[in-house]
Short mmCIF file of all heavy atoms in Angstrom, two decimals:
data_model
loop_
_atom_site.label_atom_id
_atom_site.label_comp_id
_atom_site.label_asym_id
_atom_site.label_seq_id
_atom_site.Cartn_x
_atom_site.Cartn_y
_atom_site.Cartn_z
N ARG A 861 46.03 -0.89 36.09
CA ARG A 861 45.73 -0.62 37.50
C ARG A 861 46.91 0.10 38.14
O ARG A 861 47.96 0.26 37.53
CB ARG A 861 45.44 -1.94 38.23
CG ARG A 861 44.34 -2.78 37.62
CD ARG A 861 44.04 -3.99 38.52
NE ARG A 861 45.24 -4.74 38.82
CZ ARG A 861 45.66 -5.77 38.10
NH1 ARG A 861 45.00 -6.15 37.03
NH2 ARG A 861 46.76 -6.43 38.44
N ALA A 862 46.71 0.48 39.39
CA ALA A 862 47.77 1.19 40.11
C ALA A 862 49.03 0.33 40.25
O ALA A 862 50.15 0.85 40.30
CB ALA A 862 47.28 1.62 41.49
N ASP A 863 48.87 -1.00 40.32
CA ASP A 863 50.03 -1.89 40.48
C ASP A 863 50.53 -2.42 39.14
O ASP A 863 51.38 -3.32 39.11
CB ASP A 863 49.68 -3.05 41.41
CG ASP A 863 48.52 -3.90 40.89
OD1 ASP A 863 47.84 -3.46 39.94
OD2 ASP A 863 48.29 -4.99 41.45
N SER A 864 50.01 -1.90 38.03
CA SER A 864 50.46 -2.35 36.70
C SER A 864 51.89 -1.91 36.44
O SER A 864 52.31 -0.83 36.87
CB SER A 864 49.54 -1.80 35.60
OG SER A 864 48.24 -2.32 35.68
N ALA A 865 52.62 -2.73 35.72
CA ALA A 865 53.97 -2.34 35.29
C ALA A 865 53.88 -1.18 34.31
O ALA A 865 52.85 -0.98 33.65
CB ALA A 865 54.67 -3.54 34.65
N ASP A 866 54.96 -0.40 34.23
CA ASP A 866 54.99 0.74 33.32
C ASP A 866 54.62 0.32 31.89
O ASP A 866 53.97 1.07 31.16
CB ASP A 866 56.37 1.38 33.32
CG ASP A 866 56.70 2.07 34.64
OD1 ASP A 866 55.80 2.14 35.50
OD2 ASP A 866 57.84 2.54 34.80
N PHE A 867 55.07 -0.87 31.49
CA PHE A 867 54.81 -1.35 30.13
C PHE A 867 53.33 -1.28 29.80
O PHE A 867 52.93 -0.82 28.72
CB PHE A 867 55.32 -2.79 29.98
CG PHE A 867 54.99 -3.42 28.64
CD1 PHE A 867 55.87 -3.32 27.59
CD2 PHE A 867 53.79 -4.10 28.46
CE1 PHE A 867 55.58 -3.89 26.36
CE2 PHE A 867 53.49 -4.68 27.24
CZ PHE A 867 54.38 -4.57 26.18
N TRP A 868 52.48 -1.75 30.73
CA TRP A 868 51.06 -1.86 30.43
C TRP A 868 50.38 -0.50 30.41
O TRP A 868 49.42 -0.28 29.65
CB TRP A 868 50.38 -2.79 31.43
CG TRP A 868 50.86 -4.20 31.30
CD1 TRP A 868 51.61 -4.91 32.18
CD2 TRP A 868 50.65 -5.06 30.18
NE1 TRP A 868 51.88 -6.15 31.69
CE2 TRP A 868 51.30 -6.29 30.46
CE3 TRP A 868 49.97 -4.92 28.97
CZ2 TRP A 868 51.29 -7.35 29.56
CZ3 TRP A 868 49.96 -5.99 28.07
CH2 TRP A 868 50.61 -7.19 28.39
N ILE A 869 50.86 0.43 31.20
CA ILE A 869 50.27 1.78 31.19
C ILE A 869 50.62 2.49 29.88
O ILE A 869 49.76 3.11 29.24
CB ILE A 869 50.75 2.58 32.40
CG1 ILE A 869 50.21 1.94 33.69
CG2 ILE A 869 50.31 4.03 32.31
CD1 ILE A 869 50.69 2.59 34.95
N ILE A 870 51.88 2.36 29.45
CA ILE A 870 52.26 2.98 28.17
C ILE A 870 51.54 2.28 27.02
O ILE A 870 51.06 2.93 26.09
CB ILE A 870 53.78 2.92 27.96
CG1 ILE A 870 54.52 3.57 29.13
CG2 ILE A 870 54.17 3.63 26.67
CD1 ILE A 870 56.03 3.44 29.05
N ALA A 871 51.45 0.95 27.09
CA ALA A 871 50.75 0.20 26.04
C ALA A 871 49.29 0.64 25.94
O ALA A 871 48.73 0.76 24.85
CB ALA A 871 50.83 -1.30 26.31
N SER A 872 48.67 0.89 27.09
CA SER A 872 47.28 1.36 27.10
C SER A 872 47.16 2.73 26.43
O SER A 872 46.21 2.99 25.66
CB SER A 872 46.77 1.42 28.54
OG SER A 872 45.42 1.84 28.58
N ALA A 873 48.13 3.59 26.68
CA ALA A 873 48.13 4.92 26.05
C ALA A 873 48.34 4.83 24.55
O ALA A 873 47.67 5.53 23.77
CB ALA A 873 49.20 5.80 26.69
N VAL A 874 49.26 3.96 24.12
CA VAL A 874 49.50 3.78 22.68
C VAL A 874 48.28 3.16 22.01
O VAL A 874 47.93 3.50 20.87
CB VAL A 874 50.76 2.92 22.46
CG1 VAL A 874 50.92 2.57 20.99
CG2 VAL A 874 52.00 3.64 22.96
N ARG A 875 47.61 2.27 22.72
CA ARG A 875 46.37 1.68 22.20
C ARG A 875 45.33 2.77 21.94
O ARG A 875 44.65 2.77 20.89
CB ARG A 875 45.84 0.65 23.20
CG ARG A 875 44.49 0.03 22.85
CD ARG A 875 44.12 -1.01 23.90
NE ARG A 875 42.85 -1.64 23.61
CZ ARG A 875 41.67 -1.22 24.07
NH1 ARG A 875 41.63 -0.14 24.87
NH2 ARG A 875 40.56 -1.85 23.75
N GLU A 876 45.20 3.69 22.88
CA GLU A 876 44.26 4.80 22.71
C GLU A 876 44.68 5.69 21.54
O GLU A 876 43.83 6.16 20.76
CB GLU A 876 44.18 5.61 24.00
CG GLU A 876 43.11 6.69 23.99
CD GLU A 876 42.94 7.35 25.34
OE1 GLU A 876 43.08 6.65 26.38
OE2 GLU A 876 42.68 8.57 25.37
N PHE A 877 45.98 5.93 21.41
CA PHE A 877 46.49 6.72 20.28
C PHE A 877 46.11 6.04 18.96
O PHE A 877 45.67 6.70 18.02
CB PHE A 877 48.01 6.85 20.40
CG PHE A 877 48.67 7.63 19.30
CD1 PHE A 877 48.96 8.97 19.48
CD2 PHE A 877 49.00 7.04 18.09
CE1 PHE A 877 49.58 9.71 18.47
CE2 PHE A 877 49.61 7.76 17.08
CZ PHE A 877 49.89 9.11 17.28
N PHE A 878 46.28 4.74 18.90
CA PHE A 878 45.94 3.99 17.68
C PHE A 878 44.45 4.06 17.38
O PHE A 878 44.04 4.22 16.22
CB PHE A 878 46.37 2.53 17.82
CG PHE A 878 45.93 1.65 16.69
CD1 PHE A 878 46.58 1.71 15.47
CD2 PHE A 878 44.86 0.78 16.84
CE1 PHE A 878 46.17 0.91 14.40
CE2 PHE A 878 44.44 -0.03 15.79
CZ PHE A 878 45.11 0.04 14.56
N GLN A 879 43.62 3.96 18.40
CA GLN A 879 42.18 4.03 18.19
C GLN A 879 41.75 5.41 17.65
O GLN A 879 40.78 5.52 16.90
CB GLN A 879 41.44 3.72 19.49
CG GLN A 879 41.56 2.26 19.93
CD GLN A 879 40.97 2.00 21.30
OE1 GLN A 879 40.89 2.92 22.13
NE2 GLN A 879 40.57 0.76 21.55
N GLN A 880 42.48 6.44 18.03
CA GLN A 880 42.16 7.79 17.58
C GLN A 880 42.66 8.08 16.17
O GLN A 880 41.99 8.76 15.39
CB GLN A 880 42.76 8.83 18.54
CG GLN A 880 42.12 8.84 19.92
CD GLN A 880 42.80 9.81 20.86
OE1 GLN A 880 43.68 10.57 20.45
NE2 GLN A 880 42.41 9.78 22.13
N HIS A 881 43.86 7.55 15.82
CA HIS A 881 44.50 7.92 14.55
C HIS A 881 44.62 6.77 13.56
O HIS A 881 45.00 7.00 12.41
CB HIS A 881 45.89 8.50 14.82
CG HIS A 881 45.89 9.66 15.76
ND1 HIS A 881 45.47 10.92 15.38
CD2 HIS A 881 46.26 9.77 17.07
CE1 HIS A 881 45.59 11.75 16.41
NE2 HIS A 881 46.08 11.08 17.44
N ASN A 882 44.34 5.56 14.00
CA ASN A 882 44.46 4.36 13.16
C ASN A 882 45.89 4.12 12.68
O ASN A 882 46.13 3.44 11.69
CB ASN A 882 43.52 4.42 11.96
CG ASN A 882 43.13 3.03 11.48
OD1 ASN A 882 43.04 2.10 12.27
ND2 ASN A 882 42.93 2.88 10.18
N VAL A 883 46.85 4.71 13.35
CA VAL A 883 48.27 4.46 13.12
C VAL A 883 48.96 4.47 14.49
O VAL A 883 48.40 4.97 15.47
CB VAL A 883 48.94 5.52 12.21
CG1 VAL A 883 48.43 5.39 10.78
CG2 VAL A 883 48.74 6.92 12.75
N LEU A 884 50.18 3.95 14.53
CA LEU A 884 50.98 4.01 15.75
C LEU A 884 51.81 5.28 15.73
O LEU A 884 51.95 5.93 14.68
CB LEU A 884 51.89 2.78 15.83
CG LEU A 884 51.19 1.44 16.06
CD1 LEU A 884 52.20 0.30 15.95
CD2 LEU A 884 50.48 1.40 17.40
N PRO A 885 52.38 5.68 16.86
CA PRO A 885 53.28 6.84 16.86
C PRO A 885 54.39 6.65 15.83
O PRO A 885 54.93 5.55 15.67
CB PRO A 885 53.83 6.86 18.29
CG PRO A 885 52.80 6.16 19.10
CD PRO A 885 52.21 5.11 18.22
#
């Protein structure tokens, strides 16, 4: 959400990356 800490926004992006590539950065 808009009031989410930076950690959760980056974690959400990395989660999406994992779902697309099945690996982490």
